[in-house]
Amino acid sequence: MRRRFAVASFSLAVVLGCGTLPAAAAAPADTGRSALPVNALAAPDVDVTKVRAHLSELSAIAGRNGGNRRSTTQGYRDSVAYVKGKLQAAGYTVTEQPCTSGCTSGAGPNLIAEWPQGDANNVYMFGAHLDGVSAGPGMNDNGSGSAALLENALTLAQQNPAMRNRVRFAWWTDEEQGLNGSEFYVRSLSSTQRSRIRAYYNFDMVASTNGGYFINRITTSAAAPMKAYWDSLGLQPEENTEGAGRSDDYPFQQAGIPTSGYAMGASARKTSAQAAKWGGTAASAYDPCYHRSCDTLTNVNTTGLNRAADGIAHTLWQQAVS
């Protein structure tokens, strides 16, 4: 997630280890399945061990490339190649979109993958930034969101359900330098193309070791299936106030496209009430390794990662599967 800074015309705030967060005090045992109403479309259980395997690959890529995956480096380009190879093998239509304006010089491409089924006039997008900062490998920020998204895409392909609507996945470049990749993508869309996107869902830092359960624009209709899933686990999610305007949902929001997403927090500190509800340490940062060299495989909350991955699947199935 990008730190907030001022831009002339508007303010831009411009994802394995064994780390886990205690379950919410009132939550049922986390079996990986929720207690949703029987009329809810049944999404598959996304295997968190496979999500962690993707994180391990991203960590190894960083290790081979100077310890990071910044957008302008070979580490980022190798990350794109890894994700692209998995998606192509699963049957996706995959496009590398060079960022030809607004991005840092030398930044690698956005990666866009579309599942070629469902109504192309009704598109639900799911995205995460694939780049990291130069300080470290970026396992929570944002290997966590990228890996959870990838395994959801692969699970959809493996399940191959009948589709009511179209699903498009995106892995963004240059988020850490100013939301530049996602902003370029939104600018590149025609008005007709924008109107076809019914909602965009963003996943940035979904495995913070001292994290909370936050949803972007939690009261909106776009957020409803995401909230319903975490509600079913007894998590009592809250609005993602820390992340407002600071990640790749913002360009979509500015273009009038409904947005939501999951997050578990960055450098802001957990309140006493949140610690009582979710566990963890009050008055400490949600992610003590935010934008630091210690954002490694040991800086990953597997319980939160699992809940986010399954919530993504639930939302995808509710919005797009027939």
Side-chain angles (χ1 to χ4, degrees), residues 191-214:
S191 58
T192 298
Q193 289 170 329
R194 290 185 189 185
S195 70
R196 290 171 178 162
I197 301 174
R198 302 307 178 190
Y200 170 78
Y201 295 97
N202 196 64
F203 307 97
D204 192 352
M205 302 182 67
V206 295
S208 305
T209 54
N210 190 45
Y213 293 92
F214 301 109

Side-chain angles (χ1 to χ4, degrees), residues 153-171:
L154 299 179
T155 299
L156 176 64
Q158 189 276 326
Q159 295 280 320
N160 194 22
M163 302 297 292
R164 180 175 75 256
N165 295 314
R166 188 65 58 99
V167 174
R168 185 179 302 155
F169 297 94
W171 287 263

Side-chain angles (χ1 to χ4, degrees), residues 9-39:
S9 59
F10 57 92
S11 176
L12 269 185
V14 148
V15 189
L16 254 263
C18 56
T20 59
L21 189 69
D30 189 7
T31 62
R33 308 305 297 155
S34 66
L36 288 163
V38 293
N39 63 341

